[in-house]
Amino acid sequence: MASSKRASSMRLLLPSLPSELIEEILYRTPAESLIRFKSTCKKWYDLITNNKRFIYNHLNQSPERFIRIDHTTQSVQIMDPVTIIQSDSPIPNEFQDGLYPILSMVHCDGLMLCLCRNKRNSYFRCVRTTCADLVIWNPVMRKIKWIEPSVYHWESDYFGIGYNNTCRDNYKILRFWGPLSNFQESGNKSGRPECEMYEFKSESWRTLDAKFDGEVDNDCKGVSVEGNMYWIATKEEGSFILCFDFSMETFKNICVCPPYRKTRRLGCFNGDRLSLLQQDDKEETINEIEVWMTNKLSDDGAVSFTKYFNVNTPDLPALLYHTDFARPGYSIGKYRNIMSWCEGKVKNKDDTWCTCITFYDIDEGGIRKQRETRFNGHDWMFICSYVYVPSLIPVVWCS
């Protein structure tokens, strides 16, 4: 009722304003609200659903959120890390039957590339890795699109999503072999491509002759920044950042990683550079956290890491790794702080244990804010939460 009254008042007020000013107001309106405002008038409907200039300008001004999937409660949970306000909505029907649970996701422009376990296929249960399915999902629009494989996908394959810098709305998916992809197809006797590209507009896969030296870190599912994908990879000389350029359709090593700590996670900072969070995770000592940052990836010069800040106060949580829990999602703030939404163990009064989902805001002085957001049974997600930017980009553009 309140939202309908608000929409009615906006209908009365906004038509009298210049169109440029109306757009500036709408740019500052959350994507979730704009979906409700589509019915205000035909002009707004066309602007919000079809105008690519407006949709991308709105995306570029949208703040980050955290998103996590709770298969226990069959819900999608989205949190504003500034206000810690959380919204829950049902998982899309296609994921609710338990046949296609989401294993991991990669974010690009508000679209989530989801790797799902295919439980229908029982033939492969005897091997160490099983068949998987790919889905493009926009949580704001609540729409999904299944990506048909050229032959089939394995859970241990690596996937990325990005776009050509001359045509942002022509999204592409990269797939290449992982270390357990049916034991590298037993010498590739199946003829399945080692590396291939899917273009959304043509809805087809094509083989790529793209190679790189080294091995991608098994724990690094990759991060999409400004249309390209980035992973942590290793070779004999040490660790480095591997990039796949969707414009040139080639792999390249862009910089070496800082000295290795016990655990590490790669992320995006400010939309145009990489962050690297590392932690020792030793129970008998302080779990010191290091945060490293690259220069802008679009800079003409060489890319390199510099230390942004570190935290070594007592009672820091183990942000990156728990033996029995999913790895947390995290975001690095502009004020030298870390925001993380993660799982942890909590002991009940009856000496039983349960899973506690906790949000942390940590700066150089230690834990600045801590809030328990949910208790539930242990979930099996690989990553507890992901950084996500709500957008109006429809999955039909992927056709």
Side-chain angles (χ1 to χ4, degrees), residues 13-14 16-28:
L13 172 64
L14 294 183
S16 62
L17 299 176
S19 57
E20 295 82 2
L21 184 54
I22 291 176
E23 287 194 19
E24 286 299 322
I25 294 172
L26 296 181
Y27 285 147
R28 291 161 173 78

Side-chain angles (χ1 to χ4, degrees), residues 202-297:
S202 66
E203 296 187 301
S204 61
W205 292 91
R206 53 186 169 85
T207 301
L208 287 184
D209 184 23
K211 307 288 185 181
F212 64 91
D213 294 328
E215 296 183 359
V216 175
D217 188 327
N218 289 338
D219 291 338
C220 182
K221 295 304 179 182
V223 58
S224 178
V225 182
E226 294 190 320
N228 292 332
M229 279 296 301
Y230 299 87
W231 296 268
I232 299 173
T234 59
K235 51 186 177 181
E236 289 186 5
E237 300 93 302
S239 300
F240 62 96
I241 299 299
L242 175 69
C243 169
F244 183 82
D245 186 320
F246 278 88
S247 298
M248 303 298 294
E249 297 190 350
T250 57
F251 289 102
K252 53 187 179 182
N253 305 351
I254 63 166
C255 68
V256 297
C257 289
Y260 178 69
R261 304 291 288 269
K262 174 71 174 179
T263 52
R264 57 191 177 182
R265 283 285 302 283
L266 192 66
C268 173
F269 176 74
N270 200 39
D272 59 4
R273 59 195 76 193
L274 295 173
S275 67
L276 181 66
L277 191 151
Q278 300 194 129
Q279 190 174 28
D280 278 332
D281 196 20
K282 296 178 181 178
E283 292 184 2
E284 67 276 10
T285 62
I286 295 173
N287 294 322
E288 181 180 6
I289 299 172
E290 288 183 349
V291 178
W292 296 75
M293 203 72 62
T294 66
N295 50 317
K296 290 184 179 180
L297 297 171

Side-chain angles (χ1 to χ4, degrees), residues 32-141:
E32 296 86 350
S33 298
L34 291 182
I35 295 299
R36 298 195 299 270
F37 295 160
K38 288 193 303 182
S39 59
T40 301
C41 62
K42 290 183 179 180
K43 184 176 181 181
W44 280 29
Y45 181 89
D46 185 65
L47 187 71
I48 294 169
T49 59
N50 301 318
N51 190 311
K52 294 183 179 181
R53 174 191 56 80
F54 173 83
I55 289 173
Y56 279 112
N57 284 343
H58 183 274
L59 171 66
N60 293 338
Q61 298 185 46
S62 295
E64 289 183 341
R65 300 284 188 264
F66 280 109
I67 184 170
R68 70 181 302 273
I69 307 300
D70 192 324
H71 287 286
T72 303
T73 61
Q74 295 288 289
S75 64
V76 179
Q77 300 158 11
I78 297 177
M79 175 191 285
D80 183 333
V82 177
T83 63
I84 321 184
I85 294 175
Q86 178 182 322
S87 64
D88 287 26
S89 61
I91 292 179
N93 292 335
E94 291 83 352
F95 302 143
Q96 285 188 5
D97 60 6
L99 292 173
Y100 299 99
I102 298 173
L103 296 174
S104 62
M105 299 189 288
V106 180
H107 168 261
C108 177
D109 285 358
L111 300 172
M112 307 302 291
L113 175 63
C114 307
L115 179 65
C116 303
R117 174 172 291 147
N118 186 338
K119 287 190 175 182
R120 290 185 185 274
N121 196 328
S122 60
Y123 175 78
F124 297 101
R125 289 178 182 173
C126 60
V127 298
R128 288 186 292 171
T129 183
T130 56
C131 275
D133 289 280
L134 284 181
V135 176
I136 292 293
W137 172 39
N138 185 325
V140 170
M141 311 293 286

